[in-house]
PDB file of all heavy atoms in Angstrom:
ATOM      1  N   SER A  40      85.139  52.414  83.690  1.00 50.00           N
ATOM      2  CA  SER A  40      84.785  53.794  83.392  1.00 50.00           C
ATOM      3  C   SER A  40      84.875  54.673  84.632  1.00 50.00           C
ATOM      4  O   SER A  40      85.220  55.845  84.550  1.00 50.00           O
ATOM      5  CB  SER A  40      83.369  53.862  82.805  1.00 50.00           C
ATOM      6  OG  SER A  40      82.435  53.404  83.762  1.00 50.00           O
ATOM      7  N   CYS A  41      84.571  54.109  85.807  1.00 49.00           N
ATOM      8  CA  CYS A  41      84.623  54.886  87.046  1.00 49.00           C
ATOM      9  C   CYS A  41      86.056  55.074  87.537  1.00 49.00           C
ATOM     10  O   CYS A  41      86.401  56.071  88.145  1.00 49.00           O
ATOM     11  CB  CYS A  41      83.799  54.218  88.140  1.00 49.00           C
ATOM     12  SG  CYS A  41      82.027  54.171  87.786  1.00 49.00           S
ATOM     13  N   GLN A  42      86.885  54.078  87.271  1.00 52.00           N
ATOM     14  CA  GLN A  42      88.270  54.115  87.748  1.00 52.00           C
ATOM     15  C   GLN A  42      89.229  54.235  86.566  1.00 52.00           C
ATOM     16  O   GLN A  42      90.261  53.582  86.526  1.00 52.00           O
ATOM     17  CB  GLN A  42      88.573  52.834  88.548  1.00 52.00           C
ATOM     18  CG  GLN A  42      87.620  52.553  89.692  1.00 52.00           C
ATOM     19  CD  GLN A  42      87.774  53.562  90.821  1.00 52.00           C
ATOM     20  OE1 GLN A  42      88.855  54.085  91.007  1.00 52.00           O
ATOM     21  NE2 GLN A  42      86.708  53.826  91.535  1.00 52.00           N
ATOM     22  N   GLY A  43      88.863  55.104  85.582  1.00 52.00           N
ATOM     23  CA  GLY A  43      89.605  55.166  84.331  1.00 52.00           C
ATOM     24  C   GLY A  43      91.079  55.479  84.490  1.00 52.00           C
ATOM     25  O   GLY A  43      91.908  54.942  83.783  1.00 52.00           O
ATOM     26  N   ASN A  44      91.419  56.365  85.424  1.00 62.00           N
ATOM     27  CA  ASN A  44      92.824  56.749  85.547  1.00 62.00           C
ATOM     28  C   ASN A  44      93.455  56.247  86.831  1.00 62.00           C
ATOM     29  O   ASN A  44      94.529  56.703  87.216  1.00 62.00           O
ATOM     30  CB  ASN A  44      92.966  58.275  85.459  1.00 62.00           C
ATOM     31  CG  ASN A  44      92.155  58.969  86.534  1.00 62.00           C
ATOM     32  OD1 ASN A  44      91.464  58.310  87.304  1.00 62.00           O
ATOM     33  ND2 ASN A  44      92.248  60.289  86.589  1.00 62.00           N
ATOM     34  N   SER A  45      92.790  55.330  87.530  1.00 70.00           N
ATOM     35  CA  SER A  45      93.358  54.840  88.783  1.00 70.00           C
ATOM     36  C   SER A  45      94.647  54.073  88.532  1.00 70.00           C
ATOM     37  O   SER A  45      95.579  54.133  89.333  1.00 70.00           O
ATOM     38  CB  SER A  45      92.348  53.960  89.519  1.00 70.00           C
ATOM     39  OG  SER A  45      92.020  52.820  88.748  1.00 70.00           O
ATOM     40  N   VAL A  46      94.729  53.371  87.415  1.00 75.00           N
ATOM     41  CA  VAL A  46      95.949  52.628  87.091  1.00 75.00           C
ATOM     42  C   VAL A  46      97.101  53.605  86.854  1.00 75.00           C
ATOM     43  O   VAL A  46      98.217  53.406  87.337  1.00 75.00           O
ATOM     44  CB  VAL A  46      95.728  51.736  85.846  1.00 75.00           C
ATOM     45  CG1 VAL A  46      97.033  51.086  85.426  1.00 75.00           C
ATOM     46  CG2 VAL A  46      94.680  50.677  86.136  1.00 75.00           C
ATOM     47  N   GLU A  47      96.807  54.694  86.141  1.00 77.00           N
ATOM     48  CA  GLU A  47      97.847  55.690  85.886  1.00 77.00           C
ATOM     49  C   GLU A  47      98.346  56.299  87.188  1.00 77.00           C
ATOM     50  O   GLU A  47      99.546  56.509  87.371  1.00 77.00           O
ATOM     51  CB  GLU A  47      97.303  56.792  84.976  1.00 77.00           C
ATOM     52  CG  GLU A  47      98.342  57.857  84.660  1.00 77.00           C
ATOM     53  CD  GLU A  47      97.835  58.917  83.702  1.00 77.00           C
ATOM     54  OE1 GLU A  47      96.737  58.729  83.160  1.00 77.00           O
ATOM     55  OE2 GLU A  47      98.536  59.921  83.513  1.00 77.00           O
ATOM     56  N   ARG A  48      97.419  56.572  88.127  1.00 79.00           N
ATOM     57  CA  ARG A  48      97.826  57.154  89.400  1.00 79.00           C
ATOM     58  C   ARG A  48      98.710  56.205  90.192  1.00 79.00           C
ATOM     59  O   ARG A  48      99.571  56.639  90.955  1.00 79.00           O
ATOM     60  CB  ARG A  48      96.593  57.539  90.218  1.00 79.00           C
ATOM     61  CG  ARG A  48      95.845  58.752  89.676  1.00 79.00           C
ATOM     62  CD  ARG A  48      94.965  59.367  90.742  1.00 79.00           C
ATOM     63  NE  ARG A  48      93.980  58.420  91.250  1.00 79.00           N
ATOM     64  CZ  ARG A  48      92.754  58.295  90.769  1.00 79.00           C
ATOM     65  NH1 ARG A  48      92.375  59.030  89.747  1.00 79.00           N
ATOM     66  NH2 ARG A  48      91.905  57.425  91.284  1.00 79.00           N
TER      67      ARG A  48
END
Side-chain angles (χ1 to χ4, degrees):
S40 63
C41 295
Q42 305 291 331
N44 58 358
S45 62
V46 174
E47 181 177 351
R48 288 200 301 267

